[in-house]
Amino acid sequence: MADFLMPSLGADMEHGKLVEWLVKPGDYVRRGDLVAVVDTDKTVMDVESFEEGVVSELLVEIGQTVPVGTPLARIAQTPAEVEPPPPSKRAPATARGHEDAAAGPPHRVTPPPHPARSAAPITPPVRHLAHQLGVDTDSIRGTGRHGAVTRSDVEHAQSEQVSAEHAQSEQVSAEHAQSEQVSAEHAHPSGGRVRSSPRARRLADQLGVDLASVTGTGPAGAVTAADIERHAEARPATPKAAGASQPQAVEPAARAAPDTVPEAAPEVPQPTATAARERTASLRRAVGALMARSKKTIPHYYLSTTLDLRAAVAWMQSVNAERPVASRLIPSVLLLKAAALAARDVPEVNGFYDDGGFRPSAAVHLGVAVALRHGGLVAPAIHDADTLGVDDLMRQLQDLVGRARAGRLQRAEMADPTLTVTNLGDLGVDSVFGVIYPPQVAMVGFGRVTEQPWARDGLLGVRPVAVATLSADHRVSDGLRGARYLARIDELLQQPEDL
């Protein structure tokens, strides 16, 4: 019997909030299977299991905030250990603030008694895929061994569901357009209608906002989603009469997609904006505390150099000329790959300083600083970046940035970076000197690619260049090794075809 604990997802993490369980008692999990979704001060992450066995019981309820190391679930090594679960003491799962008193003494979430399962067997990874795609696994007929539901079964069910929803939405849209025209004529004797985007209309329907009462700030006075949110926050907090003031034409759409608006939808108007501000403030505090700790405990030193990118840019342009737009490379990918390869050659910048000593890493897990839409910063890792080709690195970078901003990162991506890179070139910044993310020992910064005069062999020309900077830990390396690292990046970029 083993406990599945609330993991540490970063040096600054002290607690986490359980957002969702991806398994249930009786499920068989393997090492690496995703079992839960956890919300930290920085982002929402998928957490995998470190054990293999059968989920015996869930110890923490959805919505609870617990300290790092608190048992979340119990995993039995053999099915015989599952029923009944052996008695044991459970660490209290306390929530922050007033939630402690309201929650009362913690209690176990025990599985309801049930006979032999009639649903088809399904593994946690496949169930997680079905959850992401919005597919009901109970309605799928498995084609795998012993009737197990496979990934292809889920994807096929999702494609059928999309086709059915598309046909249904076309019918609903026609009915809605017809009724909208009628209601517009009654609301506006002049025959005009309120200009608004589809997202604004959908948000207005969810928040119970009358579009005619909102002043639009978009093109030609169009009402935007931001206008709807401001109007909803400014109005008095009064109970919403469900369906009382909504036109009849909206009802078919609500019936057609009952899962799009949960029962808690009336709480959206004010708490949503407030929660976003609180989350941003919490993230700022967490980042600020970590950076203050870094500057107090790590003796930083800083170096910079100007990279000659003529060969790299020329090679990239020749490759992109033969590719469709969607698969073209960007300069950042070449810089990331050169930074990863150079870290393999200069190991003093790649690893961790803990327990009073330096622990070099054999792998290069490159942390990439990603700015979040609502403010704040996270730096998830691209694993084994030095072994990836530039195309694979490009795909992983796009996937990582998308999931980071959507709040669906995995535990290892936040806990495993061995070296972090920050690139502010797309914002017009010439150079950036970062603060080291403990327990790492270095941070690399890249500025924008610009054209500058460049003298070589007595000849003056214009070349694309970028400034590379290094912030490093003086307990582990010195200026000699730091300079060698930056020089190695420049050397690698002179032969981009070998990256």
Side-chain angles (χ1 to χ4, degrees), residues 307 330-344 364-370 380 382 384-390 393-398 400-401 419-423 444-446 485 489 492-493 499:
L307 303 173
I330 58 176
S332 297
V333 174
L334 303 183
L335 296 174
L336 290 176
K337 183 59 186 295
L341 289 174
R344 187 174 63 188
V364 180
H365 301 324
L366 203 62
V368 180
V370 179
I382 298 178
D384 301 308
D386 58 319
T387 66
L388 299 175
V390 290
L393 188 61
M394 180 80 175
R395 284 189 290 269
Q396 291 206 24
L397 176 63
Q398 292 172 333
L400 195 69
V401 171
L419 171 67
T420 296
V421 174
T422 180
N423 187 344
V444 187
F446 292 113
Y485 174 73
I489 292 177
L492 291 165
L493 290 170
L499 291 177

Coordinates of all heavy atoms in Angstrom, one line a residue, residues 307 330-344 364-370 380 382 384-390 393-398 400-401 419-423 444-446 485 489 492-493 499:
L307 N 25.6 38.0 -30.6 CA 25.7 36.8 -31.5 C 25.5 37.2 -32.9 O 24.7 38.0 -33.3 CB 24.5 35.8 -31.1 CG 24.5 35.3 -29.7 CD1 23.2 34.5 -29.5 CD2 25.7 34.5 -29.3
I330 N 11.3 29.6 -36.5 CA 11.4 31.0 -36.0 C 12.8 31.1 -35.4 O 13.4 30.1 -34.9 CB 10.4 31.4 -35.1 CG1 10.3 30.5 -33.8 CG2 9.0 31.5 -35.7 CD1 9.3 30.9 -32.8
P331 N 13.4 32.3 -35.3 CA 14.8 32.4 -34.8 C 14.9 31.9 -33.3 O 15.9 31.3 -32.9 CB 15.1 33.9 -34.8 CG 14.2 34.4 -36.0 CD 13.0 33.6 -35.9
S332 N 13.8 32.0 -32.5 CA 13.9 31.6 -31.1 C 14.2 30.1 -31.0 O 14.9 29.7 -30.1 CB 12.5 31.9 -30.5 OG 12.3 33.3 -30.4
V333 N 13.7 29.3 -31.9 CA 14.0 27.9 -31.8 C 15.4 27.6 -32.0 O 16.0 26.7 -31.3 CB 13.1 27.1 -32.9 CG1 13.5 25.6 -32.9 CG2 11.6 27.3 -32.6
L334 N 16.1 28.3 -33.0 CA 17.5 28.1 -33.2 C 18.3 28.5 -31.9 O 19.3 27.8 -31.5 CB 18.0 28.8 -34.4 CG 17.3 28.5 -35.7 CD1 17.9 29.3 -36.9 CD2 17.3 27.0 -36.0
L335 N 17.9 29.6 -31.3 CA 18.6 30.1 -30.1 C 18.4 29.1 -28.9 O 19.3 28.8 -28.2 CB 18.0 31.4 -29.7 CG 18.3 32.6 -30.7 CD1 17.6 33.8 -30.2 CD2 19.8 32.8 -30.8
L336 N 17.2 28.5 -28.8 CA 16.9 27.5 -27.7 C 17.8 26.3 -27.9 O 18.3 25.7 -27.0 CB 15.4 27.2 -27.7 CG 14.5 28.2 -27.2 CD1 13.0 27.7 -27.3 CD2 14.7 28.6 -25.8
K337 N 17.8 25.8 -29.2 CA 18.6 24.6 -29.4 C 20.1 24.8 -29.2 O 20.8 24.0 -28.6 CB 18.4 24.1 -30.9 CG 19.1 22.8 -31.2 CD 18.6 21.7 -30.3 CE 19.5 20.4 -30.6 NZ 19.3 19.9 -31.9
A338 N 20.6 26.0 -29.6 CA 22.0 26.3 -29.3 C 22.3 26.4 -27.8 O 23.3 25.9 -27.3 CB 22.4 27.6 -30.0
A339 N 21.3 27.0 -27.1 CA 21.5 27.1 -25.6 C 21.5 25.7 -25.0 O 22.3 25.5 -24.0 CB 20.4 27.9 -25.0
A340 N 20.7 24.8 -25.4 CA 20.6 23.4 -24.9 C 21.9 22.7 -25.2 O 22.5 22.0 -24.3 CB 19.4 22.7 -25.4
L341 N 22.4 22.7 -26.4 CA 23.6 22.0 -26.8 C 24.8 22.6 -26.0 O 25.7 21.8 -25.6 CB 23.8 22.1 -28.3 CG 22.9 21.3 -29.2 CD1 23.1 21.6 -30.6 CD2 23.0 19.8 -28.9
A342 N 24.9 23.9 -25.9 CA 26.0 24.5 -25.2 C 26.0 24.1 -23.7 O 27.1 24.0 -23.1 CB 25.9 26.0 -25.3
A343 N 24.8 23.9 -23.1 CA 24.7 23.5 -21.7 C 25.2 22.1 -21.5 O 25.8 21.8 -20.5 CB 23.3 23.6 -21.3
R344 N 25.1 21.3 -22.6 CA 25.7 19.9 -22.5 C 27.2 20.0 -22.5 O 27.9 19.2 -21.9 CB 25.1 19.1 -23.7 CG 25.5 17.6 -23.6 CD 24.8 16.9 -24.7 NE 25.3 17.4 -26.1 CZ 24.7 17.0 -27.2 NH1 23.7 16.1 -27.2 NH2 25.2 17.4 -28.4
V364 N 19.5 17.8 -20.3 CA 19.2 19.2 -20.4 C 17.7 19.4 -20.5 O 17.1 19.2 -21.6 CB 19.9 19.9 -21.6 CG1 19.6 21.4 -21.7 CG2 21.4 19.6 -21.5
H365 N 17.0 19.8 -19.4 CA 15.6 20.1 -19.5 C 15.5 21.6 -19.5 O 15.7 22.3 -18.4 CB 14.9 19.5 -18.2 CG 15.0 18.0 -18.1 ND1 15.0 17.2 -19.2 CD2 15.1 17.2 -17.1 CE1 15.1 15.9 -18.9 NE2 15.2 15.9 -17.6
L366 N 15.2 22.2 -20.6 CA 15.3 23.6 -20.8 C 14.0 24.3 -20.4 O 12.9 24.1 -21.1 CB 15.6 23.9 -22.3 CG 16.2 25.2 -22.6 CD1 17.6 25.4 -22.0 CD2 16.4 25.4 -24.2
G367 N 14.0 25.0 -19.3 CA 12.9 25.8 -18.9 C 12.7 27.0 -19.8 O 13.7 27.7 -20.1
V368 N 11.4 27.3 -20.3 CA 11.1 28.4 -21.2 C 10.2 29.3 -20.5 O 9.1 28.9 -20.1 CB 10.5 27.9 -22.5 CG1 10.2 29.0 -23.4 CG2 11.4 26.9 -23.2
A369 N 10.6 30.6 -20.3 CA 9.8 31.5 -19.6 C 8.6 31.9 -20.5 O 8.8 32.3 -21.7 CB 10.6 32.8 -19.3
V370 N 7.4 31.7 -20.0 CA 6.1 32.0 -20.7 C 5.3 33.1 -20.0 O 5.0 32.8 -18.8 CB 5.3 30.7 -20.9 CG1 4.0 31.0 -21.7 CG2 6.1 29.7 -21.7
P380 N 7.9 26.4 -17.6 CA 7.9 24.9 -17.8 C 9.1 24.4 -18.7 O 9.7 25.2 -19.4 CB 6.6 24.7 -18.4 CG 6.3 25.9 -19.2 CD 6.8 27.0 -18.4
I382 N 11.1 22.0 -21.5 CA 11.1 21.1 -22.6 C 12.2 20.0 -22.3 O 13.4 20.3 -22.2 CB 11.5 21.8 -23.9 CG1 10.5 22.9 -24.2 CG2 11.6 20.9 -25.1 CD1 10.8 23.7 -25.5
D384 N 14.9 17.1 -22.3 CA 15.9 16.6 -23.3 C 16.0 17.5 -24.5 O 16.0 17.0 -25.6 CB 15.6 15.1 -23.6 CG 15.6 14.2 -22.4 OD1 16.6 14.3 -21.6 OD2 14.6 13.5 -22.3
A385 N 16.0 18.8 -24.3 CA 16.0 19.7 -25.4 C 17.2 19.6 -26.3 O 17.2 19.8 -27.5 CB 15.9 21.1 -24.9
D386 N 18.3 19.1 -25.7 CA 19.6 19.0 -26.5 C 19.5 17.8 -27.5 O 20.3 17.8 -28.5 CB 20.8 18.8 -25.6 CG 20.6 17.6 -24.7 OD1 19.5 17.4 -24.2 OD2 21.6 16.8 -24.5
T387 N 18.6 16.9 -27.3 CA 18.5 15.7 -28.2 C 17.4 15.9 -29.3 O 17.3 15.0 -30.2 CB 18.1 14.4 -27.4 OG1 16.8 14.6 -26.8 CG2 19.1 14.2 -26.3
L388 N 16.6 17.0 -29.2 CA 15.5 17.2 -30.2 C 16.0 17.9 -31.4 O 16.9 18.8 -31.3 CB 14.4 18.0 -29.5 CG 13.8 17.4 -28.3 CD1 12.8 18.4 -27.7 CD2 13.1 16.1 -28.6
G389 N 15.5 17.5 -32.6 CA 15.7 18.3 -33.8 C 15.0 19.6 -33.7 O 14.1 19.8 -32.9
V390 N 15.3 20.5 -34.6 CA 14.7 21.9 -34.5 C 13.2 21.8 -34.8 O 12.4 22.6 -34.2 CB 15.4 22.9 -35.4 CG1 16.8 23.2 -34.9 CG2 15.5 22.3 -36.9
L393 N 11.6 20.4 -31.7 CA 11.7 21.5 -30.6 C 10.6 22.6 -30.9 O 10.0 23.1 -30.0 CB 13.1 22.1 -30.6 CG 13.4 23.1 -29.5 CD1 13.3 22.4 -28.2 CD2 14.8 23.6 -29.7
M394 N 10.4 22.9 -32.2 CA 9.4 23.9 -32.5 C 8.0 23.4 -32.1 O 7.2 24.2 -31.5 CB 9.5 24.1 -34.1 CG 8.5 25.2 -34.6 SD 9.0 26.8 -34.3 CE 7.7 27.8 -35.1
R395 N 7.7 22.2 -32.4 CA 6.4 21.6 -32.1 C 6.2 21.6 -30.6 O 5.1 21.9 -30.0 CB 6.2 20.2 -32.7 CG 5.9 20.2 -34.2 CD 5.6 18.9 -34.6 NE 6.7 17.9 -34.6 CZ 7.5 17.7 -35.6 NH1 7.3 18.4 -36.7 NH2 8.5 16.9 -35.5
Q396 N 7.2 21.2 -29.8 CA 7.1 21.1 -28.4 C 7.0 22.5 -27.8 O 6.3 22.7 -26.8 CB 8.3 20.3 -27.8 CG 8.3 18.9 -28.1 CD 9.0 18.0 -27.1 OE1 9.2 18.4 -25.9 NE2 9.5 16.9 -27.5
L397 N 7.7 23.5 -28.3 CA 7.6 24.8 -27.8 C 6.2 25.4 -28.0 O 5.6 26.0 -27.1 CB 8.6 25.7 -28.6 CG 8.6 27.2 -28.2 CD1 8.9 27.4 -26.8 CD2 9.5 28.0 -29.1
Q398 N 5.6 25.2 -29.2 CA 4.2 25.6 -29.4 C 3.2 25.0 -28.5 O 2.3 25.6 -28.0 CB 3.9 25.4 -30.9 CG 4.6 26.2 -31.9 CD 4.4 25.8 -33.3 OE1 4.1 24.7 -33.6 NE2 4.5 26.8 -34.3
L400 N 3.9 23.6 -25.6 CA 4.1 24.0 -24.2 C 3.6 25.4 -23.9 O 2.9 25.6 -22.9 CB 5.6 24.0 -23.9 CG 6.1 24.1 -22.4 CD1 5.7 22.8 -21.7 CD2 7.6 24.3 -22.3
V401 N 3.8 26.3 -24.8 CA 3.2 27.7 -24.6 C 1.7 27.7 -24.6 O 1.1 28.3 -23.7 CB 3.7 28.6 -25.7 CG1 3.0 30.0 -25.6 CG2 5.2 28.8 -25.6
L419 N 17.8 24.4 -16.5 CA 18.4 25.7 -17.0 C 17.2 26.4 -17.7 O 16.5 25.8 -18.4 CB 19.5 25.4 -18.0 CG 20.0 26.7 -18.7 CD1 20.7 27.6 -17.8 CD2 21.0 26.3 -19.9
T420 N 17.0 27.7 -17.3 CA 15.9 28.4 -17.8 C 16.4 29.5 -18.9 O 17.4 30.1 -18.7 CB 15.1 29.1 -16.7 OG1 14.6 28.1 -15.8 CG2 14.0 30.0 -17.2
V421 N 15.6 29.6 -19.9 CA 15.9 30.6 -21.0 C 14.7 31.6 -21.0 O 13.5 31.2 -21.0 CB 16.0 30.0 -22.3 CG1 16.2 31.0 -23.4 CG2 17.2 29.0 -22.3
T422 N 15.0 32.9 -21.1 CA 14.0 33.9 -21.3 C 14.3 34.7 -22.5 O 15.4 35.1 -22.8 CB 13.9 34.9 -20.1 OG1 12.9 35.8 -20.3 CG2 15.2 35.6 -19.8
N423 N 13.3 34.9 -23.4 CA 13.4 35.6 -24.6 C 12.4 36.7 -24.8 O 11.2 36.4 -24.9 CB 13.3 34.6 -25.8 CG 13.7 35.2 -27.1 OD1 13.7 36.4 -27.3 ND2 13.9 34.4 -28.1
V444 N 19.6 32.1 -19.0 CA 20.1 32.6 -20.3 C 19.0 33.6 -20.8 O 17.8 33.3 -20.7 CB 20.3 31.5 -21.3 CG1 20.9 32.1 -22.5 CG2 21.2 30.4 -20.7
G445 N 19.4 34.7 -21.3 CA 18.5 35.7 -21.9 C 18.8 36.0 -23.3 O 20.0 36.1 -23.7
F446 N 17.8 36.1 -24.2 CA 18.0 36.5 -25.6 C 17.2 37.8 -25.9 O 16.0 37.8 -25.5 CB 17.6 35.4 -26.5 CG 18.5 34.2 -26.5 CD1 18.1 33.0 -26.0 CD2 19.9 34.3 -26.9 CE1 18.9 31.9 -25.9 CE2 20.7 33.2 -26.8 CZ 20.2 32.0 -26.3
Y485 N 30.5 29.3 -22.1 CA 29.2 28.9 -22.5 C 28.6 29.8 -23.6 O 28.0 29.4 -24.6 CB 28.3 28.9 -21.2 CG 26.8 28.7 -21.5 CD1 26.4 27.4 -21.9 CD2 25.9 29.7 -21.5 CE1 25.1 27.1 -22.2 CE2 24.5 29.4 -21.8 CZ 24.1 28.2 -22.2 OH 22.8 27.9 -22.5
I489 N 27.6 29.0 -27.6 CA 26.3 29.3 -28.3 C 26.6 29.9 -29.7 O 26.0 29.6 -30.7 CB 25.4 30.2 -27.4 CG1 24.9 29.4 -26.2 CG2 24.2 30.7 -28.2 CD1 24.1 30.3 -25.2
L492 N 27.9 27.4 -32.2 CA 26.9 26.5 -32.7 C 26.0 27.2 -33.8 O 25.6 26.5 -34.8 CB 26.0 26.0 -31.6 CG 26.7 25.0 -30.6 CD1 25.9 24.9 -29.3 CD2 26.9 23.7 -31.3
L493 N 25.7 28.5 -33.6 CA 24.9 29.2 -34.5 C 25.6 29.5 -35.9 O 24.9 29.8 -36.8 CB 24.4 30.5 -33.9 CG 23.4 30.3 -32.7 CD1 23.2 31.6 -32.0 CD2 22.1 29.8 -33.2
L499 N 22.4 21.8 -36.1 CA 21.7 21.9 -34.8 C 20.6 20.8 -34.7 O 20.1 20.3 -35.7 CB 20.9 23.3 -34.7 CG 21.9 24.5 -34.6 CD1 21.0 25.8 -34.6 CD2 22.6 24.4 -33.3

